């Protein structure tokens, strides 16, 4: 967004580095960490970001210096706007500062390279420091070897954190990501599909394939050759197929995820329609794709007339469940105080499946009474998906604007049991083992900030038992304590016993499997 506070808040165009290192390195003036350094554009003080110790925000609260810049990726953020900034001052101070910071980065690399060339090894430290760092380094190396490769980061193209958080979450869902990555190149399908119903761009009339760009992006993410990649091509296709996401304003991550999955499902149905070979990429026409096979579940909606007792049942497919945070917890803005009950994910699921009396404006047309009558409704899960996506409704309408519900919701990392919410003894569930209703958390998307159209999205995801925090281009390892303390917005749970159709049973390694 264009920030109106730059002219009054930005007073520096060069970086006064006060660290004693030679060459200069940026570190927090409070805790001296070099992780996530942000420079205040009013006074030049360097502080750590909110994902470390949050000293940059504390500096803003103490001084009201609202605009700062990330010393590494050179993005500018305004605390008053609660948004990343895309404009500059009339004097071009941000551009000058970015060039200044880039020169520091080049100086650091050149100095380190020259020093390594002279000595043939990294710079020497004191013996005590060397021993400590060596032990830490060995532990990190052993840990990284055990955990295997992790994904690259995704550069922010201008308020595209909503897209990055969703992509990183999906890339860490093994069966989904593995299937998409192994798809053959679909570019040769474009000509054949130009006469089909796949949406064509208004500008050129050409068919654009979101699934092909997603495949390329996921492959690049897991190559491990770069610390971060730029998803420009994918974002460009998204602009074409979903016009509402054009521009660089902040968008809702949940809405984006639904548009993305719906579009992928539509494309795959038309691109790979017939099961005419043994290829695992082919599905039955008009029935299933990897999207519905992984995320697809089935709800049973029961409506009961309160006058005659007539019951109506309807089956609704779903790719995710949107859960209300129970009203008794909505007013809480932080973690519960001593003696207060904690809002749990189970409370949200209970609220979703509880019997509810319909409002006067939603009177049910009873087929028996032939009139609109007072009635109740209840949801059951008739068929559970392989990946259960739970969206917590954190944004609500109040008067004429949307407000955010800041309530902390306690959620399970392991063993989420969905048995209580599933209809028993159906042909979809009869004879299934208990493991088919147990889920483990694979990823979680978090919204940081106060408003629906502002703030910042990041994601946590687990890869081979190690949790990582995905903050645009930065990917850092983290512990489970950090994950369980976050205010979840979207949760992705993977079924312990994944059951896929034979033609879709492909793991990330290309091996056929029906369970993990």
């Amino acid at each position: 967004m264009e920030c109106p506070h730059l002219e009054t808040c930005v007073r520096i165009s060069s970086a006064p580095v006060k660290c004693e290192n030679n060459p200069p390195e940026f570190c927090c003036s409070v805790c001296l960490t070099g992780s996530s350094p942000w420079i205040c554009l009013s006074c030049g003080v360097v502080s750590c970001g909110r994902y470390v110790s949050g000293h940059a925000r504390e500096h803003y609260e103490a001084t009201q210096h609202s605009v700062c810049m990330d010393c590494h990726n050179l993005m500018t953020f305004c605390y008053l706007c609660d948004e990343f900034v895309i404009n500059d001052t009339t004097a071009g101070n941000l551009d000058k500062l970015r060039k200044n910071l880039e020169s520091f980065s080049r100086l650091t690399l050149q100095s380190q390279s020259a020093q390594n060339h002279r000595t043939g090894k990294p710079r020497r430290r004191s013996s005590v420091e060397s021993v400590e760092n060596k032990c830490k380094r060995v532990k990190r190396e052993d840990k990284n070897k055990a955990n295997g490769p992790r994904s690259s980061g995704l550069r922010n193209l201008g308020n595209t954190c909503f897209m990055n958080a969703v992509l990183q979450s999906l890339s860490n869902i093994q069966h989904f990501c593995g299937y998409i990555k192994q798809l053959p190149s679909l570019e040769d399908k474009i000509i054949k599909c130009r006469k089909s119903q796949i949406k064509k761009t208004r500008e050129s009339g050409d068919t654009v394939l979101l699934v092909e760009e997603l495949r390329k992006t996921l492959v690049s993410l897991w190559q491990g050759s770069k610390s971060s990649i730029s998803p420009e091509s994918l974002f460009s296709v998204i602009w074409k197929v979903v016009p509402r996401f054009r521009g660089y304003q902040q968008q809702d991550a949940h809405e984006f995820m639904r548009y993305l999955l719906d579009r992928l499902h539509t494309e795959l149905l038309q691109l790979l329609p017939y099961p005419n070979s043994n290829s695992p990429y082919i599905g039955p026409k008009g029935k299933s794709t990897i999207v519905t096979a992984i995320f697809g579940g089935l709800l049973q909606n029961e409506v009961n007339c309160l006058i005659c007792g007539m019951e109506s049942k309807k089956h609704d497919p779903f790719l995710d469940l949107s859960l209300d945070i129970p009203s008794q917890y909505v007013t809480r803005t932080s973690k519960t105080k001593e003696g207060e009950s904690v809002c749990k994910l189970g409370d949200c699921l209970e609220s979703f499946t509880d019997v509810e009396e319909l409002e006067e404006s939603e009177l049910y047309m009873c087929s028996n009474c032939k009139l609109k009558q007072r009635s109740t409704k209840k949801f059951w899960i008739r068929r559970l998906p392989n990946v259960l996506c739970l969206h917590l409704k954190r944004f609500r309408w109040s008067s004429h604007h949307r407000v955010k519900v800041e309530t902390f919701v306690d959620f399970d990392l392991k063993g989420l049991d969905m048995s209580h919410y599933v209809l028993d003894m159906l042909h979809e569930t009869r004879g299934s083992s208990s493991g088919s209703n147990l889920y483990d958390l694979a990823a979680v998307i978090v919204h940081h900030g106060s408003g629906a159209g502002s703030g910042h999205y990041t994601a946590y995801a687990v890869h081979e038992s190690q949790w990582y925090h995905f903050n645009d281009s930065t990917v850092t390892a983290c512990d489970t304590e950090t994950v369980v303390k976050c205010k979840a917005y979207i949760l992705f749970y993977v079924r312990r016993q994944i059951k896929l159709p034979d033609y879709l049973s492909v793991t990330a390694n290309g091996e056929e499997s029906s369970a993990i």
Side-chain angles (χ1 to χ4, degrees):
M1 63 158 287
E2 293 197 359
C3 173
H5 309 110
L6 295 187
E7 297 296 338
T8 56
C9 292
V10 178
R11 302 180 189 131
I12 66 170
S13 57
S14 61
V17 182
K18 299 180 180 179
C19 292
E20 297 178 355
N21 300 337
N22 186 24
E25 294 178 2
F26 298 101
C27 56
C28 176
S29 59
V30 180
C31 62
L32 301 182
T33 180
S35 300
S36 185
W38 290 77
I39 184 170
C40 173
L41 302 191
S42 295
C43 64
V45 168
V46 176
S47 309
C48 61
R50 68 179 75 188
Y51 308 112
V52 185
S53 297
H55 290 131
R57 184 171 185 85
E58 291 180 5
H59 176 73
Y60 154 67
E61 292 172 346
T63 63
Q64 294 303 300
H65 295 171
S66 64
V67 185
C68 56
M69 180 182 289
D70 189 312
C71 297
H72 289 163
N73 61 33
L74 309 182
M75 294 174 57
T76 304
F77 185 83
C78 176
Y79 283 105
L80 285 174
C81 298
D82 197 20
E83 274 285 11
F84 286 94
V85 176
I86 62 173
N87 57 319
D88 200 348
T89 64
T90 52
N93 285 20
L94 299 187
D95 183 58
K96 294 176 184 176
L97 180 58
R98 288 190 177 102
K99 292 179 180 177
N100 184 248
L101 294 176
E102 286 175 346
S103 68
F104 280 136
S105 298
R106 286 194 296 270
L107 178 61
T108 301
L109 292 174
Q110 292 171 0
S111 178
Q112 290 176 348
S113 176
Q115 189 170 18
N116 291 341
H117 180 73
R118 289 195 306 269
T119 62
K121 58 183 179 180
R123 61 181 181 179
R124 189 184 308 170
R125 300 178 178 87
S126 67
S127 59
V128 175
E129 183 183 359
S130 297
V131 171
E132 291 176 349
N133 287 343
K134 183 178 180 180
C135 292
K136 292 179 181 178
R137 186 171 64 254
V138 169
K139 288 180 180 179
R140 285 197 303 269
E141 290 173 352
D142 290 342
K143 191 174 186 179
N144 289 335
K145 288 179 181 178
N147 291 330
R150 59 186 173 89
S151 173
S152 301
L154 287 166
R155 294 182 191 134
N156 193 309
L157 306 177
N159 282 327
T160 57
C161 55
F162 68 93
M163 177 181 72
N164 294 346
V166 171
L167 293 177
Q168 293 289 16
S169 297
L170 296 179
S171 76
N172 281 278
I173 295 175
Q174 177 187 357
H175 287 75
F176 176 80
C177 180
Y179 178 93
I180 297 295
K181 286 197 302 179
Q182 292 176 89
L183 283 172
S185 176
L186 298 173
E187 290 180 343
D188 59 338
K189 297 273 187 179
I190 294 179
I191 297 177
K192 298 178 181 179
C193 293
R194 283 181 177 169
K195 295 183 180 180
S196 72
Q197 295 178 353
I198 291 182
K199 186 176 181 179
K200 298 179 180 180
T201 62
R202 293 179 180 177
E203 292 85 352
S204 63
D206 291 336
T207 301
V208 291
L209 294 179
L210 182 60
V211 65
E212 174 63 13
E213 289 304 327
L214 178 64
R215 183 189 68 82
K216 294 176 183 177
T217 301
L218 293 179
V219 169
S220 299
L221 270 178
W222 287 101
Q223 283 179 339
S225 57
K226 299 180 180 179
S227 61
S228 64
I229 64 170
S230 178
E232 290 178 355
S233 296
L234 177 61
F235 195 43
S236 175
V237 170
I238 289 169
W239 277 27
K240 293 176 182 178
V241 300
V242 191
R244 65 160 297 158
F245 291 113
R246 290 180 181 176
Y248 295 96
Q249 66 271 25
Q250 183 64 280
Q251 302 283 356
D252 185 272
H254 175 248
E255 292 181 9
F256 171 75
M257 182 194 73
R258 285 306 312 270
Y259 276 107
L260 176 67
L261 293 179
D262 288 342
R263 173 72 184 192
L264 291 176
H265 176 64
T266 301
E267 288 187 2
L268 289 172
L269 277 179
Q270 298 181 55
L271 290 169
L272 307 171
Y274 300 106
N276 56 4
S277 73
N278 294 325
S279 170
Y281 311 113
I282 307 299
K285 184 177 182 181
K287 289 187 178 181
S288 180
T289 65
I290 189 64
V291 176
T292 53
I294 292 291
F295 298 97
L298 190 66
L299 283 176
Q300 180 164 302
N301 183 2
E302 298 178 356
V303 179
N304 286 276
C305 177
L306 292 177
I307 306 302
C308 71
M310 181 70 179
E311 182 180 77
S312 172
K313 295 181 180 179
K314 181 182 177 183
H315 297 158
D316 298 314
F318 68 87
L319 295 179
D320 70 304
L321 297 178
S322 291
L323 309 178
D324 285 304
I325 296 175
S327 56
Q328 64 267 32
Y329 300 108
V330 167
T331 56
R332 297 181 183 175
T333 58
S334 61
K335 288 192 176 182
T336 55
K337 300 177 182 178
E338 186 176 353
E340 289 183 331
S341 60
V342 178
C343 181
K344 297 181 179 295
L345 183 60
D347 297 322
C348 301
L349 287 166
E350 288 281 358
S351 177
F352 180 78
T353 56
D354 276 349
V355 176
E356 175 188 0
E357 184 170 348
L358 296 176
E359 300 287 342
E360 289 292 329
S361 59
E362 300 177 305
L363 291 179
Y364 167 66
M365 174 59 76
C366 178
S367 59
N368 186 47
C369 300
K370 307 299 182 183
L371 294 171
K372 288 187 176 182
Q373 304 285 25
R374 291 176 50 244
S375 56
T376 62
K377 70 174 181 179
K378 177 177 175 58
F379 285 115
W380 287 99
I381 298 176
R382 187 176 179 91
R383 186 179 69 245
L384 283 165
N386 285 304
V387 173
L388 179 64
C389 179
L390 301 176
H391 160 237
L392 297 178
K393 295 182 180 178
R394 290 200 172 273
F395 300 107
R396 301 187 176 189
W397 283 101
S398 176
S399 300
H400 301 290
H401 63 283
R402 294 174 77 192
V403 296
K404 184 181 176 184
V405 178
E406 293 283 1
T407 305
F408 173 76
V409 177
D410 187 25
F411 54 88
D412 298 304
L413 283 180
K414 297 280 188 180
L416 174 65
D417 191 352
M418 295 295 294
S419 301
H420 181 65
Y421 317 104
V422 178
L423 277 171
D424 294 326
M425 298 309 294
L426 297 171
H427 69 275
E428 294 96 332
T429 58
R430 189 181 299 119
S432 63
S433 61
S434 60
S436 63
N437 293 338
L438 293 178
Y439 288 78
D440 298 321
L441 189 66
V444 54
I445 295 176
V446 183
H447 177 268
H448 312 267
S450 57
S454 61
H456 184 55
Y457 286 99
T458 66
Y460 294 93
V462 62
H463 177 71
E464 297 185 1
S465 301
Q466 173 62 54
W467 281 93
Y468 294 95
H469 184 213
F470 296 88
N471 179 17
D472 287 335
S473 58
T474 304
V475 182
T476 55
C478 63
D479 53 30
T480 55
E481 288 76 14
T482 302
V483 179
V484 297
K485 290 178 182 178
C486 74
K487 291 182 179 179
Y489 182 49
I490 305 174
L491 297 148
F492 298 86
Y493 281 94
V494 177
R495 201 178 203 164
R496 285 190 179 175
Q497 293 185 355
I498 286 186
K499 297 181 179 180
L500 292 173
D502 292 339
Y503 52 84
L504 292 175
S505 299
V506 180
T507 67
N509 296 322
E511 300 172 352
E512 293 191 3
S513 173
S514 60
I516 57 171

